[in-house]
Structures are given as C-alpha cells and as structure tokens.
C-alpha cells in the first residue's frame, strides 16, 4: 500500500480537526470590510496548509462566495508567473460569467456580457505587457539595439483599447469583480509560495498589489513564513540576508497572520494506524513512539515513513528467514534515520558498527515506562529491600541513565561515529 500525499479535497475529507479553525477564519473572511485583505496561512513544510485551505475553500463555496485557486510553483520565470496569476483569475471569472450569461435573464445577460468583454480586454492587456517585456530578451544577440524597438512594435502592437486597459487595469478589474461577485467578494487562494524560487515568490506578492490591489478581494496565501521572509530579505540585499527587512516586508503586505494549529499526534495515529500493512507492527506501541519522536505530527513525513516501512517489511518477508518484531523495528529505526538524518545514516552505512547506537531508541520506551512507574509508586520492591533512604540514593543513577537515552532518542545531539564506538549499548 502506497499512501498518496495529496491535500484533501474539502471539508468532508478533514481528518485532522481543521474544520473548527477553518470555520472561524471563513466567518472573518465573509464579514471583513475595507477590502482588499491579505491573509497569511503560516506553517512548516508538510503540516497541511494546502488541506486547510481546501477546507476553507469548500466552506466559502457553500456560502456562495466566489473563489479562485492558483499554484505559482508551476511557473519558474518572474514574467511568466505574474502573467499566469492574472490570466488564471481572469479565465475563472470569464468562464463563470459566460455560463451565467447564457442562463440569465435578458437584462442580466447584457450586464454580464459587458463585464465579460472587459475581462477579455484585460486578458489582452496582460498578454501585451508580457510580450513587451519578453521581446527584448528574445531578440538579444540577433538584432542591433536600435532595431529592438521596431521588433517590439511589430510583435506587440496594441490597439488603443488595449493600451487604455493597461493603464486602467486596477480600476477595470475592480468593476469586473463587483459584477462577478454581485457586489460581494472574491477569495483568491495562493498555495505553496515557499516552493517557488525566491524571485518568483516575491513577484507573486508584488503582483497582488500592482494589478489586483483595488478589487473587492481576499488573498489567502499559504507559506512557510521563514522561507518567504528570507526570500524577501534577499530582495533588498542579495549578499546577506537581513531578516528584519524580510519580516517587515511581509508585515506590510499581510494584514492577518494565521499560524496553522498543530495536528494532534493522536489524530494522525487514528488516520494512519491501519496503514501499516505488517500485522506484527500494526499494534506496536514502540513503532508509534518512534514515529512521534522522529517526525512529530507532520503528516507528510509520517506518510513517507509508513510508505518506506511497508516496502521494507515486504522486502524482508521475501527472505527465507521471515523477520520478527525486533528486526522490523530495527528496520524502522534505520529508515527514520535515513529520512530525518541522512548524513548520520551515511555514517551507519560506512561503519555498520555504529548501528549499536540506534538501539537507544528502542530501549527508551521501556526505560521511560519503568521510570514513570517508579515515580508513581507502582514499583515498591526496592523500597522494602533497601528502605526509603536506599531508594532515594539509587533512583538518581537510573534517572540519569534514562535521561541520557531520552536525549539521544529525541535527536537533541546526534552522536558522531567516534561517539558511537565510545558509547555502544551492550545488551
């Protein structure tokens, strides 16, 4: 079984508890005044930003609020990306306007036809701007500088209407949105900004203000805040990253920062519990403790791990000696190192003796449970033999050892190969 990494398609697919937070945010979007408004949905890689926005999109459409979805990472060049953004919005509007015009009353048809004509002219204006900007690079090296303007004129010669729409783009777009939304609001979801190149990500943000900044719009942007802030900082100083400048840029652009709540690990466990195909591991507490320590509640990383573990288990079962529980758990530990700490995994490959160190991960769970039992007073045998004073003297030594295992298991300090030989675990 291979688990896909696709975002959920809407509220019905919500398994991680996004619905409550999405409803509150959508209530704010539906009632916000003084548009346009920009909302940033911040969260680390793999934490479900796309799924959260899909839930929001479904809730807004249920309220008859118009939405458009745009994925900028599909486009690499700066000129290409702002043009794709504008054309995506205009194409969605044009399609819906045309459908409504065909089925509407005569008076509505005339109004929608006028808006549709404006959309087409805006699309032509955006294409003209792109061609104007591209004409120079396309002819560089083949024509003398004095001939470039002539070539641009031939390639991009607009009519008067096109030129006027370039200069009135924002105002015309505002009127189109008013007609399209029936004096409501258009919500534009922009996903995966942090997957774009640095220039492309900043171009998208600039385009919102330069071209779409007067419409009755709400822009919802999904991003890893730190990644985009660093990209914005390099815009001001490409030699060194001024983090403060990058943060200030985003603070001016984004009116409401929404930090995506973390997914409870229990919810992730419920969702993926039966996706571990090997029956020996399906109910293993140690396996899920390993997953939580290594990947926390990151859905993308956990899915990748489960896919790899299922494949490794099936491969091991092809051998003449079927793997037992411990061998499968060892394979899971190595896979966790390979995914999260590839450099350390390379050390394991080059020096197999270092493999003794990962056993700390498996011994942590048992030792932690024993330590917890002592603290709760469930283990009393030592007290009866040594007395209360002896118990107090013995406990710190065990506690220190267990604490060392916990630190190693949580990866707070990964051992080097030298450390590994010096601190090998002896069964």
């Amino acid at each position: 079984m291979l688990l896909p990494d696709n975002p959920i398609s809407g509220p019905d697919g919500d398994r991680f508890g996004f619905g409550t937070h999405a409803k509150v945010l959508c209530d704010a979007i539906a009632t916000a005044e003084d548009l346009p408004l920009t909302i940033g949905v911040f969260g680390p890689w793999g934490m479900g930003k796309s799924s959260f926005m899909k839930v929001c999109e479904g809730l807004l459409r249920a309220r008859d609020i118009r939405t458009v979805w745009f994925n900028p990472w599909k486009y690499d060049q700066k000129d290409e990306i702002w043009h794709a953004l504008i054309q995506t919005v205009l194409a969605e509007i044009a399609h819906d306007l045309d459908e409504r015009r065909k089925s509407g009353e005569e008076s509505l048809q005339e109004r929608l036809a006028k808006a549709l004509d404006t959309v087409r002219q805006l699309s032509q204006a955006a294409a003209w701007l792109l061609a104007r900007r591209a004409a120079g690079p396309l002819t560089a090296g083949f024509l003398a500088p004095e001939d470039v303007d002539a070539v641009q004129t031939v390639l991009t010669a607009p009519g008067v209407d096109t030129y006027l729409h370039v200069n009135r783009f924002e105002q015309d777009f505002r009127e189109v949105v008013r007609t399209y939304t029936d004096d409501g609001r258009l919500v534009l979801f922009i996903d995966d900004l942090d997957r774009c190149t640095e220039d492309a990500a900043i171009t998208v943000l600039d385009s919102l203000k330069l071209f779409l900044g007067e419409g009755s719009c709400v822009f919802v942007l999904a991003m890893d805040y730190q990644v985009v802030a660093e990209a914005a900082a390099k815009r001001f100083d490409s030699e060194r990253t001024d983090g403060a400048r990058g943060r200030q840029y985003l603070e001016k652009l984004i009116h409401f920062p929404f930090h995506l709540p973390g997914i409870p690990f229990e919810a992730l466990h419920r969702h993926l519990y039966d996706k571990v195909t090997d029956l020996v591991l399906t109910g293993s507490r140690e396996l899920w403790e390993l997953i939580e320590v290594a990947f926390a509640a990151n859905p993308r990383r956990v899915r990748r791990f489960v896919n790899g573990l299922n494949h490794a288990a099936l491969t091991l079962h092809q051998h003449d000696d079927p793997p037992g529980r411990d061998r499968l758990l060892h394979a899971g530990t190595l896979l966790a190192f390979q995914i999260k700490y590839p450099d350390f995994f390379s050390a394991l490959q080059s020096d197999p003796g270092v493999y003794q160190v990962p056993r700390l991960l498996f011994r942590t769970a048992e030792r932690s449970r024993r330590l917890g039992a002592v603290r709760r007073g469930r283990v009393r045998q030592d007290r009866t033999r040594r007395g209360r004073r002896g118990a107090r003297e013995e406990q710190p030594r065990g506690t220190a050892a267990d604490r060392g295992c916990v630190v190693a298991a949580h990866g707070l300090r990964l051992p080097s190969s030298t450390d590994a030989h010096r601190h090998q675990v002896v069964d």
Side-chain angles (χ1 to χ4, degrees), residues 277-278 281 305-319 323 328 331-332 335:
T277 55
D278 194 290
L281 293 179
F305 174 81
V306 171
N307 279 335
L309 182 63
N310 288 339
H311 177 78
L314 289 172
T315 301
L316 290 172
H317 278 291
Q318 300 302 312
H319 297 172
L328 290 170
L335 179 62

Side-chain angles (χ1 to χ4, degrees), residues 38-50:
T38 305
I39 298 172
V41 177
F42 300 142
W45 178 88
M47 288 302 291
K49 298 185 294 295
S50 299

